[in-house]
Amino acid sequence: MKKLLKSKSLIFTAVLIIAYILISVLIDQGKFTRSQQAIMLRMCSNIILAMSLNLVVGSLGELSLGHAGFFCAGAYAGGYFAVHAGLPLTVSFIIALIIGGIVGAIFGFFISSSILRLRGDYLAIVTLAYGELIRSFAKIIPALGGTRGLIGVPSLGSRGDQWMYMFAVVIITFVLISNFTRSRHGRAINSIRDNAIAAQSIGININRYKVMTFTISAFFAGMAGVVFAFFKGNVEPADFTYNLSIEALLMVVFGGMGNLVGSIIAAAGITALPEILRDAAEYRLLIYAISLILLMIFTSNPKLVELRKRFVPKTLFASRRKEGVTNGNA
Amino acid sequence: MQVFVNFIMDGLNLGSVYALVALGYTMVYGIAKMLNFAHGDVIMVGGYTIYIVFLQKDMGIAAAVIASVLICSVLGFVIEKLAYRPLRNATPLSVLITAIGVSYLLQNIALLTFTSELKLISSFIKLPTFNVGPVRIEGISVLIWITTLVIMVSLNNFIQKTKTGKAMLAVSEDRGAAQLMGIDVNKTISITFLIGSALAGLASALYIAKYQKIEPYTGSVFGIKAFAAAVFGGIGSIPGAALGGILIGLIEALAIGYLPDSIRPASDGVAFAILIIMLVLKPSGMLGKTKIEKV
């Protein structure tokens, strides 16, 4: 407990807490419509999912398209517990969160241990396959309700109460992950992203850190799943297609890979966008796709990166990766 | 026994279409060194082209197939030029994310244009069914097998014998050295995409002949399974792609046929499980080359 928060994340934690209290009050006063309230709750699980994916994509520099699978495992595990335990709601929610996280982490551990030899494209496609496989299994296990899914996950009370519980999980996750990324381990993981061979040569155990990153990330993805299960009240296999993984990836990329605060803002924005752009809701996904492509071209094309360095003041992109190492390894 | 033979026939059909798609993946991956995530969605676009030309405009089978091949190859060429070429020297991660973006884009354009409703194209290519002993063989199966075989052999010849094909091999081996030898790397990669996408157009015709339906998400799952086939056979290898496609098709057909009803909803998982097992145990595939990584 030397220093739980550095000044930068301390400020953002304060912002989150203020938002938390403000929105609770506003919900209690009935300032939001029902659909707006639902979107805010959906936001909570999306933000946690985006932060957890950011750990893999931003810090480790590998692409996981299987986070929907961890999310699915967590949602089913936590949901199953909540349906059958019959404990008081608060206790049940907390234990379900832990169970969902641990089940997610177990999947994360075994899956990442099996793919240590893979990188880049292959790693991405294998995680996608694992995610789909987890979903397929959920479909055929009778105790989980088969293709109909799990029904009757208890509600945490009114929308205001739900918000209190769920956004608290968001804040806790933010504090934990932002501390982890700035720890000794977090820096070791960043060094693997920037240059795996150099990292190995100074004694960083790449395999150990890869497994660690995936396990921790899957833990939080599992918790996000539990939050989702409690918000929705039921869990069905159709909720966890690989489109969910892609949506989480969108949040991470739009927020800036490796930037936790960015992930939170992007996740909140992407979840709220259908409500904001009611008239253009049909074109929402089209806009995402085009902006994703343009964003990648503008941030990764070597010529454009040169151009940007020349014309844009350095401070604006100071938190970005150092340019020299981007070609080293990924 | 007869049931078993029918499953095998089904598997061969499915496998031949997979093989044709896997050829596209394997060429692009082998030469441009990138996973073209949008390849499956190019097939979907080809399917809708056939839907428009054949059903709505009623212009006949030949016109539909030609239109599909043309549109797909132009689409592949344009995608490469606009989205992938600017990132030629960028990190693999950003190229992959861009490819996912292109796939997402094509799906959503299809969704907006044609809605998510399943479109049936039931009378596309009709051929008589005949019996060889106790085995029923559909005419369309024979067409699929012959097409795949012809394409595979001619593609292999094209790459081994022609100048452009050899340039592709050189680019695949060492892009920098190929450029020093006077090979136009960009042009070679463009041609690769053109051919790969033309194969996707042909594959979409065979897909529709066999399955008679199309929807915006047809391409993505089908594409991933075909990629599994390409990996199974060894990425970059043309006979490997064909072999991998046939094997994945056979395994999937047998799994669907023989799995108990309670497990059947998970039959999509079979191809994914094969992909995982293959990549975990032998990432270079059955006929692929192992590459040693150098600093």
Side-chain angles (χ1 to χ4, degrees):
Chain A
M1 286 298 265
K2 228 175 10 184
K3 220 181 200 178
L4 195 58
L5 289 164
K6 284 263 169 66
S7 60
K8 214 173 171 184
S9 35
L10 192 65
I11 294 170
F12 196 74
T13 314
V15 171
L16 281 182
I17 292 174
I18 292 169
Y20 178 44
I21 297 169
L22 200 68
I23 293 177
S24 316
V25 172
L26 289 176
I27 290 179
D28 278 343
Q29 289 180 349
K31 298 276 187 203
F32 295 115
T33 63
R34 285 185 65 83
S35 65
Q36 282 167 344
Q37 289 173 2
I39 280 176
M40 279 176 199
L41 296 175
R42 183 80 182 85
M43 227 180 243
C44 295
S45 73
N46 275 345
I47 291 176
I48 302 170
L49 181 65
M51 285 194 285
S52 93
L53 183 63
N54 195 347
L55 216 48
V56 173
V57 177
S59 299
L60 185 65
E62 289 291 1
L63 196 53
S64 162
L65 296 177
H67 266 55
F70 303 137
F71 189 84
C72 170
Y76 268 106
Y80 186 80
F81 173 79
V83 171
H84 293 277
L87 291 170
L89 270 178
T90 316
V91 183
S92 165
F93 181 59
I94 293 170
I95 299 181
L97 274 179
I98 296 170
I99 290 180
I102 290 176
V103 169
I106 291 172
F107 276 101
F109 177 79
F110 284 109
I111 289 176
S112 60
S113 306
S114 75
I115 54 177
L116 287 171
R117 291 161 73 191
L118 305 175
R119 285 193 348 208
D121 297 349
Y122 276 9
L123 190 136
I125 204 93
V126 166
T127 50
L128 192 161
Y130 269 120
E132 285 290 312
L133 211 56
I134 293 175
R135 195 169 77 92
S136 300
F137 275 119
K139 274 191 217 166
I140 56 170
I141 298 176
L144 299 178
T147 41
R148 262 187 322 123
L150 200 63
I151 42 175
V153 180
S155 164
L156 289 163
S158 72
R159 291 296 197 202
D161 294 342
Q162 291 185 37
W163 168 262
M164 298 280 272
Y165 285 112
M166 291 174 183
F167 203 72
V169 183
V170 171
I171 296 178
I172 294 168
T173 308
F174 171 73
V175 172
L176 290 177
I177 293 186
S178 71
N179 271 294
F180 176 73
T181 48
R182 272 183 295 101
S183 71
R184 182 190 165 82
H185 300 308
R187 283 195 300 272
I189 293 166
N190 283 345
S191 74
I192 296 174
R193 171 197 70 197
D194 290 340
N195 192 331
I197 295 166
Q200 202 164 21
S201 75
I202 55 166
I204 289 171
N205 185 338
I206 295 185
N207 288 348
R208 190 175 146 238
Y209 277 109
K210 249 189 182 173
V211 173
M212 184 196 276
T213 316
F214 263 94
T215 310
I216 293 174
S217 174
F219 178 85
F220 287 110
M223 286 210 328
V226 178
V227 171
F228 174 77
F230 272 85
F231 153 67
K232 202 175 165 228
N234 71 325
V235 184
E236 51 185 331
D239 293 330
F240 311 108
T241 59
Y242 90 101
N243 272 324
L244 179 68
S245 300
I246 303 235
E247 211 165 295
L249 181 68
L250 279 173
M251 293 167 190
V252 172
V253 174
F254 285 156
M257 288 182 265
N259 187 334
L260 207 55
V261 174
S263 292
I264 295 181
I265 296 171
I270 285 182
T271 319
L273 210 59
E275 179 74 15
I276 301 168
L277 295 176
R278 268 248 183 96
D279 304 326
E282 281 179 63
Y283 297 97
R284 180 176 63 101
L285 297 173
L286 203 64
I287 296 168
Y288 291 165
I290 294 171
S291 8
L292 183 66
I293 298 168
L294 291 180
L295 189 74
M296 287 328 290
I297 292 176
F298 280 114
T299 54
S300 303
N301 181 312
K303 273 185 200 147
L304 288 171
V305 169
E306 266 314 298
L307 206 69
R308 191 184 71 201
K309 271 202 292 194
R310 205 178 305 161
F311 292 109
V312 180
K314 254 194 185 144
T315 47
L316 211 62
F317 288 94
S319 64
R320 289 287 168 87
R321 282 192 214 178
K322 304 264 185 318
E323 304 296 350
V325 292
T326 42
N327 288 331
N329 175 69
Chain B
M1 186 60 202
Q2 198 175 343
V3 179
F4 176 75
V5 172
N6 282 340
F7 287 149
I8 294 281
M9 288 291 145
D10 227 32
L12 285 176
N13 289 344
L14 187 62
S16 306
V17 186
Y18 279 148
L20 209 52
V21 183
L23 284 177
Y25 273 109
T26 220
M27 277 186 72
V28 169
Y29 201 99
I31 291 155
K33 296 282 179 286
M34 63 163 292
L35 167 52
N36 184 11
F37 222 83
H39 193 69
D41 302 288
V42 172
I43 297 172
M44 177 270 297
V45 172
Y48 278 112
T49 311
I50 291 175
Y51 172 75
I52 291 177
V53 175
F54 180 72
L55 266 191
Q56 291 189 339
K57 304 261 185 262
D58 203 16
M59 282 161 60
I61 295 168
V65 175
I66 291 170
S68 161
V69 171
L70 276 181
I71 297 230
C72 284
S73 30
V74 170
L75 185 65
F77 181 80
V78 170
I79 289 172
E80 196 273 333
K81 192 127 188 155
L82 293 183
Y84 301 155
R85 184 171 299 180
L87 297 172
R88 187 79 83 223
N89 295 316
T91 59
L93 187 66
S94 33
V95 180
L96 184 56
I97 294 177
T98 312
I100 291 173
V102 173
S103 154
Y104 211 54
L105 179 68
L106 293 180
Q107 271 176 30
N108 286 304
I109 290 176
L111 205 57
L112 280 176
T113 328
F114 300 100
T115 73
S116 60
E117 186 194 349
L118 195 69
K119 299 271 193 269
L120 294 175
I121 310 169
S122 51
S123 52
F124 186 46
I125 299 177
K126 278 270 181 265
L127 289 170
T129 303
F130 49 90
N131 292 309
V132 179
V135 185
R136 262 179 88 245
I137 298 179
E138 289 174 57
I140 187 69
S141 310
V142 178
L143 182 71
I144 292 177
W145 298 336
I146 293 175
T147 315
T148 305
L149 194 70
V150 168
I151 296 276
M152 199 196 91
V153 171
S154 42
L155 198 61
N156 213 14
N157 276 332
F158 172 76
I159 288 188
Q160 304 287 346
K161 304 268 166 65
T162 65
K163 211 166 178 179
T164 324
K166 285 177 185 160
M168 286 176 177
L169 284 179
V171 171
S172 143
E173 199 70 35
D174 187 331
R175 199 180 287 173
Q179 197 152 25
L180 289 178
M181 293 296 125
I183 293 171
D184 187 340
V185 172
N186 276 334
K187 199 176 119 199
T188 310
I189 293 181
S190 277
I191 294 174
T192 310
F193 268 85
L194 206 66
I195 296 175
S197 309
L199 293 182
L202 210 55
S204 65
L206 295 183
Y207 180 89
I208 285 189
K210 176 77 190 144
Y211 293 97
Q212 312 184 335
K213 61 187 180 187
I214 186 94
E215 54 159 346
Y217 301 110
T218 298
S220 58
V221 173
F222 193 74
I224 292 164
K225 286 181 182 170
F227 182 72
V231 170
F232 198 36
I235 206 111
S237 153
I238 288 174
L243 188 62
I246 303 266
L247 280 176
I248 291 236
L250 280 176
I251 296 172
E252 205 178 26
L254 289 176
I256 292 171
Y258 284 110
L259 281 178
D261 278 345
S262 55
I263 308 185
R264 198 157 298 160
S267 61
D268 253 359
V270 173
F272 294 119
I274 297 171
L275 178 66
I276 292 170
I277 294 169
M278 203 62 204
L279 277 180
V280 167
L281 297 180
K282 197 172 185 310
S284 55
M286 287 185 297
L287 304 181
K289 287 178 283 186
T290 323
K291 277 221 171 104
I292 299 162
E293 199 178 320
K294 294 179 203 148
V295 179

